[in-house]
Amino acid sequence: MKHKEKYCEFIKTFQEERDFFKCHEILEDIWVEETKCETRKHVSINLLLVAVALHHWRNKNFKGAIQVLENSLNNYDEISLELEKLNINSKELKVIILDVLEELKNGNEYKEIYLPKY
């Protein structure tokens, strides 16, 4: 997989530092380089959207978080194999995203979630 070290940096930042803005910055460069911003069917944009949604939720922007997470699901099944290559359990992550959407729609306060790793 191309940019494996950047994905590892993203995962470490997501899991340990919880700096979702930095997560966005890490993956945005990959997305722009590999897709020229012409598609959202790319693992980098889907992971980036999860991080952005958590950033919004933590800042009590429920509407923004819902919109971003729903966008992350648009091409989810097409990128699930790429998530698996990063040792992220794609099926479990999808369940987490759906659970977080429910939490957001119910107006529940932010809680920590982590990428489900193998």
Side-chain angles (χ1 to χ4, degrees), residues 2 28 103:
K2 193 173 177 182
E28 183 178 44
E103 295 272 342

Side-chain angles (χ1 to χ4, degrees), residues 47-65:
L47 288 172
L48 181 155
L49 290 171
V50 172
V52 169
L54 293 179
H55 176 79
H56 285 317
W57 188 17
R58 190 162 54 192
N59 289 313
K60 301 184 186 319
N61 178 357
F62 293 89
K63 184 179 178 182

Side-chain angles (χ1 to χ4, degrees), residues 5-73:
E5 65 287 339
K6 283 290 206 181
Y7 284 108
C8 289
E9 180 184 356
F10 166 84
I11 291 168
K12 182 179 187 305
T13 302
F14 189 103
Q15 302 289 69
E16 297 173 15
E17 296 176 34
R18 314 302 291 162
D19 185 340
F20 301 124
F21 185 82
K22 183 177 176 184
C23 286
H24 172 277
E25 296 299 309
I26 294 166
L27 292 186
E28 183 178 44
D29 292 340
I30 295 171
W31 179 62
V32 170
E33 178 186 322
E34 291 189 6
T35 72
K36 309 295 186 255
C37 303
E38 294 176 1
T39 183
R40 290 192 171 243
K41 292 181 185 178
H42 197 273
V43 67
S44 64
I45 194 69
N46 285 69
L47 288 172
L48 181 155
L49 290 171
V50 172
V52 169
L54 293 179
H55 176 79
H56 285 317
W57 188 17
R58 190 162 54 192
N59 289 313
K60 301 184 186 319
N61 178 357
F62 293 89
K63 184 179 178 182
I66 290 168
Q67 185 177 25
V68 171
L69 268 188
E70 286 176 343
N71 284 339
S72 79
L73 292 172

Side-chain angles (χ1 to χ4, degrees), residues 104-116:
L104 287 161
K105 290 175 181 177
N106 289 327
N108 294 336
E109 292 297 314
Y110 173 81
K111 68 178 182 182
E112 298 287 350
I113 67 156
Y114 295 89
L115 298 172

